[in-house]
Amino acid sequence: MSVLAAEPGAVPAGEEPPDTGERHRLTAVTGLAALSLDAMASVAYGPEAIVLVLAAAGAHGLGFTLPVTLAIAALLGVLVASYRQVVAAFPDGGGSYAVARRHLGARTGLVAAASLVLDYVLNVAVAVTAGVAALTSAFPELYADRLWICLAVLVLITGVNLRGIVESAKAFIVPTAVFVGSVLVLIVVGLFRSAPAGTATAAGHASALAGNASGVGTLLLLKAFASGCAALTGVEAIANAVPSFRVPRVRRAQHAETALGAVLGVMLIGLSVLISRFHLQPVQGVTVLAQLADASLGHGWGFYVVQFATMILLALSANTSFGGLPVLLGLLARDNYLPHVFALKADRQVHRHGVLALALVSAALLVFSGGDTNTLVPLFAIGVFVGFTLAQVGMVRHWWLERGPRWRGKALLNGFGAVLTGVATVVVTAAKFTEGAWLVVVTLPLLVAAFGAVHRAYGRIGERLGLGRIPEPPRRERSVVIVPVSSLSRLTSQALSAAASLGDEVRAVTVCHTDPEDRAHTRALERSWAAWDPGVPLVRLTCERRTLGRPIAAYAREVAAAEPASRVTVLIPETEPERLWQRLLQNQRGAVVAHAVRRETDAVICRLRFRPS
């Protein structure tokens, strides 16, 4: 009879495998739905941004729509290739921050992180307001309530993300598929048309073409290129959130990045081809995408499917930030640049504090803007291009140091991308500076300074704690336990029993104020204490002022000064209510004493929760 050895790590028959959390992580497909909505939705405003700039040169200028789009698609290819390399080189996530921190220095890494934080927060506000703007365009009677609708959409997206990134991917995969499918159908059908199927959407609207058309110069083309580059926001989100993918994380994240680049590139180029094919002109009050849907599909149900899918995806594209920013905040917290609470994970691999922080800041932005997209758009996309540029420069240094196979070609690719994104950063910032971009320019260094302040604070704390050094051996010290009491009860007995277990000496203290009622109560307590005789002395602390915590803190200081070799502990007994609402019935004396002792002494504070049964 042969005996088969169990394979290492095998799960015995009848037992379920341990939950490693992988089922709460992303596949390539769900990663595309969770982290690419920002980039996907950008086809709704990217081509339009190009057309609006080129319209300054009249109909002749619109002829450059396709060349500019091809240049943006080429940059997209460079970015996708670069971020695939970033995913492989930095599997712990962080994207631009991780690259810049390692290869360009900690300070530059913080600039990249701050730019990404700003972009992610602004993306949420812009996405939600854009989606709601599409809704109020269809239903004008809702326009006055647009701020409340924006906040409701934000609450919905936040709630979904608190359930886990996989849950958000499942919830948003259908809208993503419908949007991408409808745009691809629009492009394919439009390519087979020799003339527009309909122009009802643009009828009656004034043309946005410049009456006194200017020449098509280099500056105008650069401005059109920079404006159209808004379609590239979100490309970095997958590289930031590599830890959110299932094993093998790098390969799945790279597949998602490639798919994002391919789909986004096809949609951008396809829409630009149709703009040139149908000779569309920008008109006031109607989006270019709506005109394209009308021209390709006619003004029927297909047109409304495209519009509705665009509206939904624009609103939901905020989910890209909820997938990427909490992971980035976790990395910053791990490196001591943010409070460590941001590094904590809840069930389902959720960085809950990062999600909630993003929601609160985004809500503040929505209130500040009044739910108006135009107020926020000038601030958008600058941060992400700063991150793009730093990531590209960092990857050039990465290849220079690594010098692996074909490193020169990879470094040249990243260097070319750095030049393109750097130019785009300068042009976008200059073009939008007076429209509100100055606020981003001012906020960026302030955010970097805040990161540095947190890091220095953690450094001082670590120095005091001796982190990284072997501490001295532990030793037993004599312990004096002080127990505040105000009456005799089961709580008092439990507190003294716990104190006797903790310390070598136990002292009960009661605070007596000078008014007759308090003095009478204290005398009654002392008589009851003597009759009970628990073996623990009761010390009266007389205080002229109506305060509770300070006399106890002062007594703890006196004991510590009189017995420097002893450890002083203040044990505060408290009743744990049966129901949550019953906390309102408590007098909060324990919290008052704990606050005073913590602020004024070095004593150990122990709060005993007593649950009466």
Side-chain angles (χ1 to χ4, degrees), residues 351-375:
H351 290 84
R352 184 171 295 163
H353 295 89
V355 171
L356 292 175
L358 174 58
L360 290 174
V361 176
S362 301
L365 272 177
L366 290 174
V367 173
F368 164 76
S369 66
D372 182 25
T373 308
N374 294 328
T375 304

Side-chain angles (χ1 to χ4, degrees), residues 57 92 183-184 255-256 266 321 408 429 456 476 511 520 550 567 586:
D92 291 334
V183 171
L184 293 178
H255 288 170
V266 168
S321 296
R408 287 186 176 86
T429 304
R456 289 190 295 272
R476 190 183 188 285
V511 177
R550 287 186 176 179
R567 172 73 66 181
Q586 294 180 303

Side-chain angles (χ1 to χ4, degrees), residues 181-414:
S182 62
V183 171
L184 293 178
V185 169
L186 181 158
I187 293 171
V188 171
V189 173
L191 291 176
F192 285 95
R193 291 194 182 278
S194 58
T199 57
T201 304
H205 292 268
S207 173
L209 282 179
N212 50 346
S214 61
V216 182
T218 303
L219 186 59
L220 184 68
L221 292 176
L222 282 176
K223 187 174 181 181
F225 173 79
S227 297
C229 280
L232 302 182
T233 59
V235 172
E236 81 292 344
I238 292 173
N240 289 335
V242 178
S244 298
F245 284 84
R246 293 182 186 175
V247 175
R249 309 196 201 290
V250 169
R251 190 174 69 189
R252 291 183 188 275
Q254 286 180 326
H255 288 170
E257 188 76 55
T258 302
L260 169 60
V263 174
L264 181 56
V266 168
M267 290 195 295
L268 287 174
I269 295 173
L271 292 176
S272 293
V273 169
L274 293 185
I275 290 172
S276 300
R277 185 181 183 86
F278 295 139
H279 304 290
L280 289 186
Q281 298 180 4
V283 298
Q284 297 176 2
V286 179
T287 65
V288 169
L289 186 60
Q291 291 187 67
L292 288 174
D294 197 8
S296 292
L297 306 175
H299 206 74
W301 63 269
F303 170 83
Y304 288 103
V305 167
V306 172
Q307 290 303 100
F308 186 74
T310 302
M311 177 188 70
I312 295 297
L313 204 72
L314 277 170
L316 298 183
S317 63
N319 195 67
T320 297
S321 296
F322 282 96
L325 181 60
V327 176
L328 176 62
L329 297 182
L331 292 175
L332 286 167
R334 183 198 64 186
D335 295 335
N336 296 331
Y337 289 108
L338 279 180
H340 288 169
V341 69
F342 287 108
L344 300 179
K345 286 185 182 179
D347 294 338
R348 302 171 184 259
Q349 303 296 319
V350 179
H351 290 84
R352 184 171 295 163
H353 295 89
V355 171
L356 292 175
L358 174 58
L360 290 174
V361 176
S362 301
L365 272 177
L366 290 174
V367 173
F368 164 76
S369 66
D372 182 25
T373 308
N374 294 328
T375 304
L376 298 168
V377 167
L379 311 178
F380 191 46
I382 296 174
V384 73
F385 276 97
V386 173
F388 281 163
T389 305
L390 293 178
Q392 300 286 323
V393 174
M395 288 305 293
V396 171
R397 180 168 172 77
H398 173 79
W399 298 126
W400 177 266
L401 296 175
E402 295 290 328
R403 297 189 177 229
R406 300 187 299 276
W407 70 271
R408 287 186 176 86
K410 296 175 180 178
L412 183 62
L413 180 70
N414 292 135

Side-chain angles (χ1 to χ4, degrees), residues 10-240:
V11 179
E15 294 186 15
E16 294 185 1
D19 184 7
T20 61
E22 288 300 305
R23 64 192 181 94
H24 297 305
R25 299 182 188 270
L26 299 170
T27 64
V29 175
T30 54
L32 202 61
L35 299 170
S36 70
L37 296 186
D38 177 20
M40 295 292 186
S42 65
V43 301
Y45 50 80
E48 181 163 8
I50 299 172
V51 169
L52 288 174
V53 173
L54 293 176
H60 178 61
L62 293 180
F64 287 86
T65 300
L66 183 56
V68 171
T69 304
L70 290 175
I72 292 172
L75 177 56
L76 172 64
V78 172
L79 289 173
V80 168
S82 175
Y83 276 105
R84 278 178 55 89
Q85 296 166 358
V86 171
V87 166
F90 298 88
D92 291 334
S96 303
Y97 164 66
V99 177
R101 176 173 167 77
R102 178 181 297 181
H103 295 301
L104 302 178
R107 191 75 175 179
T108 308
L110 292 181
V111 173
S115 65
L116 286 175
V117 169
L118 288 175
D119 180 68
Y120 276 137
V121 173
L122 287 167
N123 172 59
V124 173
V126 169
V128 171
T129 54
V132 172
L135 176 65
T136 55
S137 296
F139 302 98
E141 62 273 15
L142 297 176
Y143 183 79
D145 299 319
R146 64 190 185 281
L147 175 58
W148 295 109
I149 300 173
C150 286
L151 294 174
V153 172
L154 179 61
V155 169
L156 172 65
I157 298 174
T158 303
V160 172
N161 278 276
L162 286 175
R163 291 183 53 81
I165 193 169
V166 171
E167 297 300 320
S168 70
K170 290 177 180 178
F172 301 149
I173 195 168
V174 172
T176 305
V178 171
F179 175 78
V180 173
S182 62
V183 171
L184 293 178
V185 169
L186 181 158
I187 293 171
V188 171
V189 173
L191 291 176
F192 285 95
R193 291 194 182 278
S194 58
T199 57
T201 304
H205 292 268
S207 173
L209 282 179
N212 50 346
S214 61
V216 182
T218 303
L219 186 59
L220 184 68
L221 292 176
L222 282 176
K223 187 174 181 181
F225 173 79
S227 297
C229 280
L232 302 182
T233 59
V235 172
E236 81 292 344
I238 292 173
N240 289 335

